[in-house]
Amino acid sequence: MEDIVKKRIKQVLKGDQSAFEEIVSLYQNRLYQVCYRMLGNRHEAEDIAQEAFIRAYINLHTFDQKRKFSTWLYRIATNLCIDRIRKKKPDTFLDAPVPGTDGLDHYSRLAHDSPLPEEEVEKMEQQERVQYEISRLPDKYRSAIVLRYIEELPLQEISEILDLPLGTVKTRIHRGREALRKQMKKL
Amino acid sequence: MKPCPEEIVQYMHDYLDGEITRRDEQILKEHLEQCPACQEHMDQLSRSVAFLKSASHIEAPEGFSARIMASLPKERQGAGVRRWFGRHPMLAAAAMFMLLAGLALFSNFNTSDQQLVVSTQPNLVVEGNKVTVPEGETVKGDLVVRNGELHIEGEVEGDVTVINGSKYMASTAVVTGRIEEIDRAFEWLWYTIKSGIKEGLSVFEGPGADDKEK
């Protein structure tokens, strides 16, 4: 498949815009899925996935054709997702106490992404619950976990996508698994 | 009860990453068989992973690729030019230089539009925007008049250049050099380039070649 993609990339670089459509259709589901799992919202996921493809098109001449195209594309998309998540966070001081809570600060709220009461979680459908648990993961672990278990990518590729050393990726996945385990002890 | 070895949890993760050595796997197995707490920990991790993997595949919405194709930037030429510049940085720099030099000359030409400019020889007579070489007088060196009228009644030992102006030659006029009139921006540009080259060359011709008065 990479061969077809490389042929299409060359055509796009020569000025044939329509060759880009095949690239989009080959990767659209994977890219949209990553964005959806990272952001937890269909509308935002479409927005960011679209932005990722447009950026890829504009910067196609900077892509090193000796490398894997999907890695490059995933990298653009995950960076955009991470930026979007950061922007969504409230600008309040994180260690300021949250009014109406007993000594709870914003750090604890962020870590749990304002967890729902247990009865509510138990009423969720399985798929809704999966997305809920992913969204509760701290963002650092979320990207690694999504790439590992939703996209099922090898650790080496995740390290290239996130531009992190392999050891760091492993640590994040380990911590992500531990966080998930604690979130769902009663499963 | 003695505490569990610290590396057991690490072995669990190595196992889940599929990167555990045979020896470590054996140690993990033996430990889990005799430690219900670690067995529980391992089960919870495996269940979390299985739970994640149960996530259904999500597909891009209908019409997604069409919307992308519609919102791509239209021009390819622009990008082509940029790529070309990227591949030929020296040529790009030269082109940029020529463009800027041209612009600088043009703006020069326009800003000095209204002012009378004349080269300073002692025996020239200047009245308003009229410059006269009086009869019987000899002006030594090249004469340049910009934005004015030049009347030559006497003699000029050198080239005469009139920019954006007019020139009248009396019957008594003598000019030993060349006479040039420049009216338009383009010619001014060409003139500047020519004299630039001439000056450049005169450096190589050695001393004495460039005795023009400025």
Side-chain angles (χ1 to χ4, degrees):
Chain A
M1 191 177 91
E2 282 281 319
D3 284 348
I4 300 173
V5 171
K6 280 181 180 156
K7 214 180 275 173
R8 295 290 171 266
I9 291 171
K10 285 196 182 99
Q11 288 172 322
V12 175
L13 287 174
K14 278 186 197 140
D16 177 7
Q17 192 174 68
S18 63
F20 195 68
E21 187 154 16
E22 198 172 336
I23 298 177
V24 174
S25 50
L26 282 171
Y27 294 102
Q28 60 175 354
N29 289 338
R30 273 179 276 175
L31 224 58
Y32 176 78
Q33 173 162 265
V34 173
C35 295
Y36 176 69
R37 292 304 184 189
M38 293 275 290
L39 300 164
N41 173 308
R42 285 181 188 275
H43 181 76
E44 273 189 306
E46 180 169 356
D47 215 33
I48 296 291
Q50 186 168 339
E51 175 73 23
F53 276 113
I54 292 171
R55 289 209 185 183
Y57 174 79
I58 292 169
N59 298 307
L60 200 59
H61 61 283
T62 67
F63 167 65
D64 177 359
Q65 296 192 34
K66 291 192 283 293
R67 314 196 74 147
K68 205 170 164 189
F69 183 70
S70 61
T71 304
W72 188 70
L73 202 55
Y74 273 130
R75 186 165 174 173
I76 297 174
T78 49
N79 281 339
L80 286 171
C81 286
I82 291 166
D83 281 352
R84 174 61 66 98
I85 292 166
R86 281 190 191 138
K87 274 184 204 143
K88 273 204 297 192
K89 283 188 180 170
D91 329 315
T92 44
F93 289 106
L94 288 176
D95 46 6
V98 181
T101 58
D102 189 21
L104 209 62
D105 60 28
H106 283 280
Y107 276 121
S108 47
R109 267 167 66 91
L110 278 183
H112 300 275
D113 208 4
S114 24
L116 298 169
E118 215 168 285
E119 319 84 73
E120 293 252 0
V121 177
E122 269 162 22
K123 271 189 276 169
M124 279 182 184
E125 280 179 51
Q126 156 103 359
Q127 287 305 317
E128 199 185 349
R129 177 85 192 266
V130 172
Q131 187 54 41
Y132 171 70
E133 299 297 348
I134 293 173
S135 74
R136 286 169 72 195
L137 287 171
D139 352 320
K140 260 199 200 169
Y141 310 152
R142 201 189 305 165
S143 44
I145 288 284
V146 165
L147 292 172
R148 182 75 188 93
Y149 289 113
I150 304 293
E151 298 299 307
E152 302 184 304
L153 296 175
L155 294 170
Q156 182 55 46
E157 202 174 332
I158 298 173
S159 123
E160 283 171 43
I161 292 168
L162 298 177
D163 197 21
L164 292 169
L166 192 58
T168 310
V169 170
K170 280 188 194 166
T171 308
R172 288 190 179 186
I173 289 173
H174 295 186
R175 298 211 176 128
R177 276 194 295 245
E178 288 295 341
L180 211 61
R181 179 181 78 89
K182 280 173 198 145
Q183 280 168 208
M184 319 191 358
K185 263 189 178 160
K186 294 204 187 85
L187 193 74
Chain B
M1 196 180 101
K2 65 174 174 133
C4 301
E6 271 176 43
E7 64 274 16
I8 288 299
V9 174
Q10 182 59 46
Y11 291 163
M12 292 181 196
H13 286 287
D14 289 347
Y15 175 79
L16 291 169
D17 286 338
E19 293 191 339
I20 194 167
T21 63
R22 253 168 204 273
R23 194 189 69 103
D24 293 347
E25 189 173 356
Q26 195 56 40
I27 296 170
L28 177 65
K29 236 177 165 181
E30 278 164 19
H31 181 81
L32 292 183
E33 272 163 19
Q34 45 156 320
C35 176
C38 285
Q39 182 63 59
E40 174 68 3
H41 191 141
M42 185 73 220
D43 284 349
Q44 285 170 344
L45 284 176
S46 309
R47 259 182 276 146
S48 304
V49 167
F51 178 73
L52 277 178
K53 285 185 172 170
S54 77
S56 52
H57 272 282
I58 306 278
E59 297 207 339
E62 198 77 10
F64 181 77
S65 69
R67 280 196 290 281
I68 287 176
M69 292 312 288
S71 51
L72 291 182
K74 287 290 170 290
E75 40 76 57
R76 267 326 278 182
Q77 282 90 347
V81 168
R82 247 177 286 130
R83 263 207 322 281
W84 186 87
F85 275 153
R87 282 191 203 135
H88 309 277
M90 284 310 287
L91 279 173
M96 207 58 197
F97 174 77
M98 290 302 277
L99 185 69
L100 288 176
L103 282 175
L105 287 171
F106 268 103
S107 58
N108 213 0
F109 183 80
N110 287 328
T111 50
S112 55
D113 227 2
Q114 302 306 322
Q115 229 181 337
L116 172 70
V117 180
V118 64
S119 48
T120 51
Q121 275 91 347
N123 40 7
L124 282 175
V125 177
V126 181
E127 302 159 280
N129 68 342
K130 183 175 157 194
V131 180
T132 313
V133 179
E135 202 176 339
E137 296 275 353
T138 303
V139 173
K140 290 193 191 312
D142 295 342
L143 183 56
V144 179
V145 174
R146 192 193 291 186
N147 302 321
E149 250 173 57
L150 175 64
H151 290 247
I152 304 177
E153 289 156 18
E155 202 176 315
V156 179
E157 281 186 1
D159 297 343
V160 169
T161 310
V162 178
I163 303 154
N164 257 8
S166 51
K167 165 183 64 78
Y168 302 99
M169 305 271 284
S171 55
T172 50
V174 179
V175 175
T176 58
R178 279 178 313 113
I179 302 171
E180 228 176 323
E181 277 186 84
I182 300 165
D183 293 322
R184 276 166 302 163
F186 176 74
E187 289 180 22
W188 164 235
L189 184 68
W190 178 231
Y191 167 78
T192 314
I193 291 170
K194 258 200 317 197
S195 51
I197 290 170
K198 258 196 264 171
E199 256 169 60
L201 287 177
S202 67
V203 172
F204 298 103
E205 284 165 7
D210 188 23
D211 54 357
K212 281 177 269 182
E213 276 183 61
K214 291 273 155 69

